[in-house]
Amino acid sequence: MGTWRRLLLLGRVSLQGGCGAAVPHLGRRALSCGRQLLGAEGEALKQRRTQIMSRGLPKQKPIEGVREVIVVASGKGGVGKSTTAVNLALALAANDSSKTVGLLDVDVYGPSIPKMMNLKGNPELSPNNLMRPLLNYGIACMSMGFLVEETAPLVWRGLMVMSAIEKLLRQVDWGQLDYLVVDMPPGTGDVQLSVSQNIPISGAVIVSTPQDIALMDARKGAEMFRKVHVPVLGLVQNMSVFQCPKCRHKTHIFGADGARKLAQTLDLDVLGDVPLHLSIREASDTGQPVVFAHPESEEARAYLHIASEVVRRLQPPPE
């Protein structure tokens, strides 16, 4: 017999008459004792769970040579996360030519960095048997896409994926980087947790369209990073508006200012708005990201602004 059913029978609580039913004195005492008992059990379970998790979490270890790690994530696929990651990396380098930038693609099942950065081939090995990133547009890049055939699907279970992530994090010779931009897979699963728990992350950038469905998952992504103590730098509202190239009329295809409303709810900032523009898609498909191919365009300026906002939030507050 369940705890609450025993308490109800003991106290002879009447289920007729709704919330206004009288509870005998004995029943009230029993209910109070029951709540205290369940509360104590719940607190004990919570403490036990915390102890187990603290034992099981790996110690964070920095990536050698990398000063700042910025993860670009989304709760849902298809919102332009990888496009944002690529152009953010290029924009960070364009805003300050003295900075060295790397791009790590940990989307094991759907790596897109090789195509977007127009890179092919296998990484060379250093004398220390570490993989050397491939280089284009001044950005050092590493992806699972360099290690498998382009058309080969990865039919891997979780342990194999985790092993691959460990290699991408620990067996790459990045040299000296000021910023490493990490293109995360969509969702809030094993890969996100593994990356967050293994390396110190300077901040996370959450990408979403203004659409309600995408925002629901973006919120989950932001909350996940908060739970694993990763600072969320802000949101990028992607595909925010479409402007007709002929009549210049603007249409909010996915809704207006949805990410801004979510940012207010989460007490975050919107780092910038990226329009829905044909040139962004064409540039990505041809392996010439828009920040490189059309640096003076409105679309490129949006990414350059986002990069400057990211850097500003990474700087320590003045004393």
Side-chain angles (χ1 to χ4, degrees):
M1 184 181 296
T3 303
W4 286 107
R5 189 174 178 186
R6 288 200 303 269
L7 291 172
L8 287 170
L9 289 176
L10 179 63
R12 298 187 302 277
V13 177
S14 172
L15 299 180
Q16 298 177 355
C19 296
V23 181
H25 181 66
L26 180 60
R28 285 197 296 269
R29 289 184 57 188
L31 285 170
S32 177
C33 291
R35 291 193 186 100
Q36 292 176 6
L37 178 62
L38 291 176
E41 289 178 350
E43 187 63 29
L45 286 173
K46 185 177 179 180
Q47 292 177 359
R48 177 63 176 163
R49 191 184 304 115
T50 302
Q51 292 173 358
I52 292 173
M53 288 185 69
S54 63
R55 283 205 308 264
L57 292 179
K59 287 187 177 181
Q60 288 186 334
K61 181 182 176 183
I63 300 175
E64 187 174 352
V66 177
R67 189 166 64 89
E68 306 273 12
V69 176
I70 305 163
V71 298
V72 180
S74 66
K76 181 178 289 295
V79 297
K81 169 186 54 61
S82 295
T83 303
T84 301
V86 167
N87 284 287
L88 174 61
L90 286 163
L92 288 168
N95 283 341
D96 189 345
S97 59
S98 68
K99 303 298 184 183
T100 52
V101 182
L103 183 59
L104 174 60
D105 182 2
V106 295
D107 193 348
V108 173
Y109 290 113
S112 52
I113 298 306
K115 182 172 181 61
M116 288 186 175
M117 291 295 287
N118 195 26
L119 287 167
K120 291 184 179 180
N122 302 118
E124 296 180 353
L125 294 179
S126 71
N128 296 331
N129 213 31
L130 299 177
M131 295 181 289
R132 284 178 171 154
L134 277 65
L135 188 69
N136 200 10
Y137 309 127
I139 307 296
C141 302
M142 179 53 62
S143 169
M144 181 57 64
F146 300 146
L147 308 177
V148 297
E149 294 182 12
E150 183 177 354
T151 58
L154 287 184
V155 189
W156 286 359
R157 293 187 182 275
L159 289 176
M160 295 181 69
V161 173
M162 292 303 102
S163 176
I165 295 298
E166 179 69 18
K167 288 179 171 60
L168 291 173
L169 291 176
R170 300 298 179 196
Q171 296 185 19
V172 178
D173 181 8
W174 291 104
Q176 297 296 316
L177 292 180
D178 292 291
Y179 304 111
L180 177 62
V181 178
V182 181
D183 181 20
M184 301 280 268
T188 55
D190 289 344
V191 173
Q192 288 84 352
L193 288 173
S194 180
V195 173
S196 302
Q197 294 170 355
N198 274 280
I199 61 174
I201 297 174
S202 303
V205 175
I206 308 296
V207 182
S208 179
T209 64
Q211 187 179 8
D212 288 347
I213 298 299
L215 292 167
M216 289 171 57
D217 291 332
R219 178 170 187 164
K220 294 175 185 177
E223 295 290 5
M224 183 213 72
F225 283 115
R226 283 177 167 175
K227 285 187 176 182
V228 294
H229 309 295
V230 172
V232 180
L233 302 177
L235 274 64
V236 171
Q237 184 165 245
N238 199 26
M239 309 181 201
S240 59
V241 65
F242 171 76
Q243 185 176 51
C244 176
K246 293 183 179 180
C247 70
R248 314 305 293 177
H249 175 71
K250 292 185 177 181
T251 304
H252 294 87
I253 295 176
F254 296 104
D257 291 331
R260 295 188 180 278
K261 296 173 185 176
L262 176 61
Q264 291 177 356
T265 302
L266 298 176
D267 194 25
L268 294 172
D269 295 323
V270 173
L271 302 173
D273 293 75
V274 180
L276 178 62
H277 202 285
L278 180 63
S279 66
I280 298 177
R281 195 274 302 166
E282 289 179 338
S284 297
D285 286 349
T286 58
Q288 294 186 332
V290 70
V291 169
F292 169 81
H294 308 288
E296 302 301 324
S297 66
E298 179 185 353
E299 307 83 70
R301 288 199 299 271
Y303 289 115
L304 292 167
H305 172 74
I306 291 168
S308 65
E309 290 295 307
V310 166
V311 171
R312 186 168 69 86
R313 284 161 174 76
L314 290 176
Q315 295 173 349
E319 296 182 358

